[in-house]
Amino acid sequence: EVQLVQSGAEVKKPGESLKISCKGSGYSFTNYWIGWVRQMPGKGLEWMGIIYPSDSDTIYSPSFQGQFTISADKSISTAYLQWRSLKASDTAMYYCAKHGISRAPFDAFDIWGQGTMVTVSS
Amino acid sequence: DIVMTQSPDSLAVSLGERATINCKSSQSVLYSSNNKNYLAWYQQKPGQPPKLLIYWASPRESGVPDRFSGSGSGTDFTLTISSLQAEDVAVYYCQQYYTTPYTFGQGTKLEIK
């Protein structure tokens, strides 16, 4: 079964750092672009960026540029989303999702992780 | 960025009736070299991650009931549920993957009348 399993919910203070994870299984992790989507409480979906685990080629949304880092460790089939200094406005559910077609950067997300809720509050 | 605008924002339909959701992109998402529309539809039920329903504007993802259908080309697209079932209550999103950032529509909340 193809699945993406994300790390658990986090509660952090403003200014703290955080790295959340997304582990893929049941498919060739290195050959499919994997991305991150933000959903703020009660709001819609926002595309943050994607990474190709084979060579770590990464594309960020200009709306989010510089606010976080997307990375991947292909040796353990895991993608990451990392912040150096969280803000209250980073409070949201974060989903990872993979593309449906091997090697294709232009594609829809066919499999989604269960989501990681990040709460940033003093 | 390509702006995706869905209409309506919310919709109430009786069980067994047709539900239609529209999605308009600010520029064409049709790639002329392969004649494919880079447009997907997702369903998100409360407390769940989104689920892919439709890709390339019209083919259904494996396992998606055939009451769901996608149509349209260029800048105007439609998701149709031919006979609404109770389990179809959800928020529906369109997404373009023609050019990064792969933007989503604002969502359409579908309820039972």
Side-chain angles (χ1 to χ4, degrees):
Chain A
E1 179 192 8
V2 175
Q3 59 179 347
L4 298 172
V5 178
Q6 298 184 227
S7 50
E10 301 275 1
V11 179
K12 292 289 189 179
K13 291 182 165 48
E16 292 186 331
S17 62
L18 176 64
K19 191 174 189 178
I20 61 175
S21 66
C22 169
K23 183 173 176 61
S25 62
Y27 72 101
S28 178
F29 182 80
T30 54
N31 289 339
Y32 291 80
W33 288 78
I34 190 165
W36 291 92
V37 175
R38 183 174 80 173
Q39 188 166 40
M40 299 177 78
K43 302 299 184 183
L45 305 173
E46 298 174 274
W47 188 91
M48 300 173 71
I50 52 174
I51 187 167
Y52 190 57
S54 179
D55 60 8
S56 290
D57 186 15
T58 309
I59 305 173
Y60 291 96
S61 168
S63 300
F64 290 96
Q65 194 87 35
Q67 296 180 29
F68 54 83
T69 302
I70 293 172
S71 61
D73 184 342
K74 60 185 179 182
S75 69
I76 55 171
S77 301
T78 301
Y80 300 97
L81 180 61
Q82 181 175 14
W83 295 263
R84 283 197 292 182
S85 181
L86 287 161
K87 304 185 292 285
S89 58
D90 293 317
T91 294
M93 180 72 80
Y94 293 88
Y95 293 103
C96 65
K98 63 172 278 296
H99 280 183
I101 300 174
S102 176
R103 302 184 183 87
F106 299 93
D107 198 14
F109 291 129
D110 71 334
I111 301 294
W112 294 64
Q114 83 276 20
T116 296
M117 184 66 206
V118 174
T119 303
V120 184
S121 174
S122 54
Chain B
D1 299 3
I2 296 179
V3 177
M4 307 299 290
T5 303
Q6 293 181 224
S7 62
D9 289 334
S10 64
L11 180 62
V13 174
S14 300
L15 290 172
E17 296 298 305
R18 179 186 300 262
T20 301
I21 299 170
N22 300 301
C23 175
K24 188 175 184 66
S25 57
S26 60
Q27 65 185 76
S28 176
V29 298
L30 173 63
Y31 192 36
S32 56
S33 66
N34 60 11
N35 202 37
K36 285 186 172 182
N37 288 283
Y38 285 54
L39 190 285
W41 288 96
Y42 300 88
Q43 175 193 63
Q44 187 179 30
K45 296 181 179 181
Q48 296 185 19
K51 173 188 174 183
L52 178 65
L53 296 176
I54 302 283
Y55 55 96
W56 304 125
S58 63
R60 274 187 303 277
E61 177 71 343
S62 175
V64 173
D66 61 6
R67 64 180 180 274
F68 291 91
S69 63
S71 63
S73 185
T75 61
D76 292 279
F77 300 90
T78 300
L79 175 69
T80 301
I81 307 172
S82 60
S83 177
L84 189 71
Q85 305 299 303
E87 61 265 31
D88 301 334
V89 169
V91 179
Y92 293 84
Y93 296 92
C94 61
Q95 181 204 23
Q96 64 81 19
Y97 47 99
Y98 182 83
T99 185
T100 59
Y102 298 154
T103 43
F104 292 90
Q106 81 276 17
T108 295
K109 186 175 184 179
L110 177 58
E111 299 173 312
I112 305 295
K113 185 186 290 183

